[in-house]
Amino acid sequence: MKQKKIVRICDIASEVGVSCSLVSKVLCGRMGNSTVRPALAERIKSVAKLRGYVPNASAKALFSGRQNTVAVFVSRHGHPESDLTGKFIDGVVSELSKTNRRMLLQFFHDEEDFRANCMPAAVRAVTDGAVVGGFPYFDIRPMLEAVIENGLPVATAFSNPISTCIPNSGVSQEQVGYCAARHLIECGCRRPLFFHVNEADGHLRLSGFRRMMAEAGLHFGGSQIYEIGSFDSEEASVRMAAPLLSKMKYDGIAAESDSAAVLMMNAMLAAGIRIPENVRVLGIDDSPLCRFTMVPLSSISGRDQERGARAIRLLDKIGEGGEPENEELDPVVVPRASTIG
Amino acid sequence: MKQKKIVRICDIASEVGVSCSLVSKVLCGRMGNSTVRPALAERIKSVAKLRGYVPNASAKALFSGRQNTVAVFVSRHGHPESDLTGKFIDGVVSELSKTNRRMLLQFFHDEEDFRANCMPAAVRAVTDGAVVGGFPYFDIRPMLEAVIENGLPVATAFSNPISTCIPNSGVSQEQVGYCAARHLIECGCRRPLFFHVNEADGHLRLSGFRRMMAEAGLHFGGSQIYEIGSFDSEEASVRMAAPLLSKMKYDGIAAESDSAAVLMMNAMLAAGIRIPENVRVLGIDDSPLCRFTMVPLSSISGRDQERGARAIRLLDKIGEGGEPENEELDPVVVPRASTIG
DNA sequence: TTGTAGGCGTTATCAC
DNA sequence: GTGATAACGCCTACAA
């Protein structure tokens, strides 16, 4: 493989017949106290372009002390079908590419994993900052704070901030619940059930749901809340729930995940219940699978892609010395046939 | 934010009272013609560890001329629900992390996009190689070959190699078709339909399917092949197909995507057809959604995660001067209720 | 308006 | 056994 020579600043300098420093100043546009004849500047630029000059990133990084790399840690939680991580990474990548930065991507599964793989000192030496997204493991908080103490900016993209000193690109889980209830009510529901996951943000969603129900003057009692345990056990839980449902009176279901919603929907359809005529069904996450269910599933989107991009911007802000800021996007309803027929 | 001082080799050297070069040799384990007293070596290592020394990646890269970064270009094709890119990236990341390398990730959607965003000269200066995966756009082949001419190793993870000078981590599409037919036959099918996508590897899958049918001595005529156009139009196509099906005689369906399979399955279930008792249904890609369909969907996996890791290894081989090698994994059947009841 | 010198952190070579 | 030195490519004071 014939390794074509990489052109350096001094190659251009000697071709044009000027000094390296002049070429450097012209090419990076920061002339300091110097000036150049415009014609010469043009000449330098055109030769650089002609020879395909590309600055050596390592040398730049060595000089500037910046790595042009951001560490991105994502916990791939139990719902691969939601493609939350894919959307998040999409957003991060598109934002980073605007400024020609690279990504050090690492997946983790729990606190232990995080400690072992994501936060070794190397991160400090190889990156300019870290963004953490995915499932909000509160246990990693002390580790993140330690990293910040070390001078490395950190931002999170959890639904809610996990530390006052870490900027977070979030989405209001209370609003998620509120939106869910509002949408169901707008679609005609009067007695919805809430499939509750006793994890992370579940209680916020539930309280938002309850708030909207109250605002609408509708009854929402304990019997309308069905606990499905953790996400991991949802499949089993939903199977157990299905027969119970026949004894209950309800005209809508809001589930805390698309998968739970789909499993329920499938069970109801199998039992001859019509969706959305008899029961409206609403999920959370706007998973790709929503388009392919027996009745396409309405869902609430947490705008993960946008939050990925925003996390990077928040990171940059504190990198420039700003105070940690939190952003909170409002979730949006993505209506499909399971609620609007 | 109190920026804790980053410790360098010379900090350790002065603390221990030796020279930088000795510390460097000891810490990176390459002593050249030198030797050290074991006790001193221990001392150096322990101080380095104590102070949390981490080598500066930029300086190393500058010296060695290597960037410790691999460019990863992925075309996010039309099937986000399959999570193919997620699996692929997972594999790539896990392999890269073994050797402490970073990733420059870029998504592209078509040839034009690729030209504009993925192969600018910068890639050459910032990475040690590039891996391209996702949907196999043949149009990018000349661009990749040009990159190779420039001395940058490239590997692909397309189903089939697109160039003799580019190593590929593939999966036999002919085998995908063959496996699909074999699985259906093993499940009792005698007259399956094949939902054919006239794109990329469709013809290979079809010929593999046909081969197995022939081996089994079963008839497989043109009326058993239903063209659903491109992936983009599959939703519409399948909707049109559904009514036609009632007039056809068949006991199985192999579709070239999980989504097409699911759409068909939903249509059949709605028409009162029982799955798998009346018709066995099989998809391709082993998408996350397979677990959540009305009847869980059997599917053929192209082992994308494994192929991501292998692509990196192939890249490393040619980076070390090896000849381009192709690997071809065999697909595997992931059986679920839609075929095995 | 242009050039020179020094430094960023590391490593390999060679001298002591 | 250990240390001095140059080099990797770029950038910025400062000198001319």
Side-chain angles (χ1 to χ4, degrees):
Chain A
M1 191 187 302
K2 182 195 55 186
Q3 180 95 5
K4 198 182 283 186
K5 197 172 175 318
I6 295 185
V7 335
R8 297 155 304 169
I9 278 190
C10 60
D11 296 325
I12 297 170
S14 67
E15 178 167 347
V16 179
V18 294
S19 73
C20 296
S21 54
L22 186 61
V23 175
S24 169
K25 289 173 205 162
V26 168
L27 290 183
C28 69
R30 300 196 41 58
M31 293 301 295
N33 293 323
S34 304
T35 52
V36 227
R37 277 173 295 135
L40 182 53
E42 278 318 306
R43 178 83 207 291
I44 291 173
K45 285 181 193 162
S46 73
V47 170
K49 183 160 192 183
L50 182 66
R51 298 276 168 261
Y53 169 74
V54 177
N56 180 309
S58 308
K60 276 180 111 110
L62 180 58
F63 176 84
S64 67
R66 312 194 78 246
Q67 306 291 338
N68 287 314
T69 298
V70 173
V72 179
F73 302 125
V74 185
S75 62
R76 298 213 88 176
H77 35 56
H79 279 174
E81 75 282 0
S82 68
D83 195 33
L84 252 32
T85 54
K87 294 175 196 161
F88 176 69
I89 290 172
D90 245 0
V92 166
V93 164
S94 67
E95 188 66 24
L96 287 180
S97 72
K98 287 183 192 165
T99 45
N100 267 311
R101 281 179 292 177
R102 295 169 283 182
M103 174 171 62
L104 182 69
L105 179 63
Q106 200 65 258
F107 297 115
F108 68 99
H109 299 93
D110 54 35
E111 182 213 349
E112 203 44 57
D113 201 18
F114 186 80
R115 185 196 311 278
N117 297 316
C118 298
M119 277 295 155
V123 169
R124 170 79 169 83
V126 175
T127 68
D128 306 318
V131 164
V132 187
F135 185 84
Y137 285 103
F138 282 85
D139 296 340
I140 66 176
R141 172 178 153 175
M143 281 181 270
L144 294 181
E145 287 173 348
V147 171
I148 292 173
E149 292 270 313
N150 264 324
L152 191 72
V154 175
T156 53
F158 295 146
S159 42
N160 290 295
I162 66 168
S163 164
T164 53
C165 61
I166 303 178
N168 185 69
S169 167
V171 59
S172 167
Q173 294 301 316
E174 208 266 351
Q175 275 291 324
V176 168
Y178 188 84
C179 277
R182 189 179 54 202
H183 180 66
L184 286 177
I185 293 168
E186 283 171 0
C187 293
C189 279
R190 290 298 169 264
R191 193 178 161 81
L193 302 183
F194 189 89
F195 274 61
H196 185 232
V197 174
N198 194 13
E199 262 186 30
D201 309 312
H203 58 289
L204 283 173
R205 292 174 177 169
L206 180 55
S207 71
F209 196 91
R210 184 175 274 129
R211 179 162 66 90
M212 180 68 229
M213 290 295 287
E215 282 183 19
L218 294 172
H219 177 258
F220 184 61
S223 67
Q224 285 166 271
I225 302 172
Y226 184 82
E227 295 283 348
I228 56 173
S230 75
F231 281 121
D232 295 333
S233 60
E234 73 181 9
E235 202 162 340
S237 297
V238 171
R239 298 208 192 294
M240 290 178 57
L244 299 177
L245 284 183
S246 58
K247 307 194 181 79
M248 302 175 77
K249 186 163 161 281
Y250 62 98
D251 58 5
I253 287 183
E256 279 201 49
S257 73
D258 289 326
S259 42
V262 170
L263 292 171
M264 273 313 307
M265 184 161 73
N266 290 345
M268 290 188 290
L269 289 171
I273 298 172
R274 303 188 50 150
I275 295 171
E277 293 81 356
N278 305 144
V279 178
R280 289 134 199 103
V281 182
L282 180 62
I284 286 178
D285 282 346
D286 192 30
S287 312
L289 71 82
C290 293
R291 292 176 48 218
F292 297 99
T293 45
M294 191 83 182
V295 179
L297 180 69
S298 300
S299 191
I300 311 248
S301 164
R303 301 165 71 183
D304 301 273
Q305 182 163 357
E306 193 171 348
R307 283 171 52 209
R310 281 168 183 260
I312 295 294
R313 294 204 285 269
L314 290 177
L315 184 72
D316 292 343
K317 274 193 192 167
I318 52 168
E320 290 158 5
E323 286 299 305
E325 260 175 64
N326 293 319
E327 285 186 351
E328 192 169 69
L329 293 181
D330 281 330
V332 295
V333 178
V334 182
R336 297 195 180 84
S338 71
T339 53
I340 59 174
Chain B
M1 187 187 305
K2 181 195 56 187
Q3 181 96 3
K4 199 183 284 185
K5 197 171 173 320
I6 295 186
V7 336
R8 297 156 302 169
I9 278 190
C10 61
D11 296 326
I12 298 170
S14 69
E15 178 167 347
V16 177
V18 294
S19 72
C20 297
S21 44
L22 187 60
V23 174
S24 169
K25 287 175 209 163
V26 168
L27 290 182
C28 67
R30 299 198 41 59
M31 295 299 296
N33 293 322
S34 304
T35 51
V36 225
R37 277 176 298 133
L40 182 52
E42 278 318 305
R43 179 84 208 290
I44 290 172
K45 285 181 194 163
S46 74
V47 170
K49 182 159 193 183
L50 182 67
R51 298 276 167 259
Y53 169 73
V54 176
N56 179 309
S58 308
K60 276 179 113 108
L62 180 57
F63 183 84
S64 68
R66 312 196 78 247
Q67 306 290 339
N68 286 314
T69 298
V70 173
V72 179
F73 302 124
V74 186
S75 62
R76 298 214 89 176
H77 35 56
H79 280 174
E81 75 281 1
S82 68
D83 195 33
L84 252 31
T85 53
K87 294 175 196 162
F88 176 69
I89 292 172
D90 244 0
V92 166
V93 164
S94 67
E95 188 66 24
L96 287 179
S97 71
K98 287 183 192 166
T99 44
N100 269 310
R101 283 179 291 178
R102 296 168 283 183
M103 176 171 61
L104 183 69
L105 180 63
Q106 200 65 259
F107 297 115
F108 69 99
H109 299 93
D110 55 34
E111 182 211 347
E112 204 44 58
D113 200 18
F114 186 79
R115 187 196 310 278
N117 298 315
C118 297
M119 279 292 157
V123 169
R124 170 80 169 84
V126 174
T127 69
D128 306 317
V131 164
V132 187
F135 184 84
Y137 284 104
F138 281 84
D139 296 340
I140 67 177
R141 171 177 155 176
M143 281 181 270
L144 294 181
E145 287 174 348
V147 172
I148 292 174
E149 291 270 311
N150 265 324
L152 191 73
V154 175
T156 54
F158 295 146
S159 43
N160 290 295
I162 66 167
S163 163
T164 53
C165 60
I166 303 177
N168 185 68
S169 166
V171 59
S172 167
Q173 294 302 315
E174 209 267 352
Q175 276 290 324
V176 167
Y178 187 84
C179 278
R182 190 179 53 202
H183 180 66
L184 286 176
I185 293 169
E186 282 171 0
C187 292
C189 279
R190 290 298 168 264
R191 193 179 161 81
L193 301 183
F194 188 90
F195 274 60
H196 185 232
V197 174
N198 194 14
E199 263 186 29
D201 308 311
H203 57 291
L204 283 173
R205 292 174 177 168
L206 181 55
S207 70
F209 196 89
R210 185 175 275 130
R211 180 163 66 91
M212 180 68 227
M213 289 296 285
E215 281 182 21
L218 294 171
H219 177 257
F220 184 62
S223 66
Q224 284 166 270
I225 302 171
Y226 185 80
E227 296 284 348
I228 56 174
S230 76
F231 282 122
D232 295 334
S233 61
E234 72 181 10
E235 201 160 342
S237 298
V238 171
R239 297 210 192 293
M240 290 178 57
L244 298 179
L245 284 183
S246 58
K247 306 193 182 81
M248 301 175 76
K249 188 165 159 279
Y250 61 99
D251 58 4
I253 286 183
E256 280 200 49
S257 74
D258 289 326
S259 43
V262 170
L263 292 171
M264 274 313 307
M265 184 161 72
N266 290 346
M268 290 188 289
L269 289 170
I273 298 172
R274 305 187 50 151
I275 293 170
E277 293 82 353
N278 304 145
V279 177
R280 289 133 197 106
V281 182
L282 179 63
I284 286 180
D285 282 346
D286 192 30
S287 312
L289 73 82
C290 293
R291 292 176 47 217
F292 298 98
T293 45
M294 191 83 181
V295 178
L297 180 68
S298 301
S299 192
I300 310 250
S301 163
R303 301 164 73 181
D304 300 272
Q305 183 163 356
E306 194 172 345
R307 283 171 51 208
R310 281 168 182 259
I312 296 295
R313 294 205 286 270
L314 290 177
L315 184 72
D316 292 343
K317 275 195 193 167
I318 53 168
E320 291 157 5
E323 286 300 305
E325 259 174 66
N326 293 319
E327 285 185 351
E328 191 168 71
L329 293 181
D330 281 329
V332 295
V333 177
V334 182
R336 296 193 181 84
S338 71
T339 53
I340 58 175

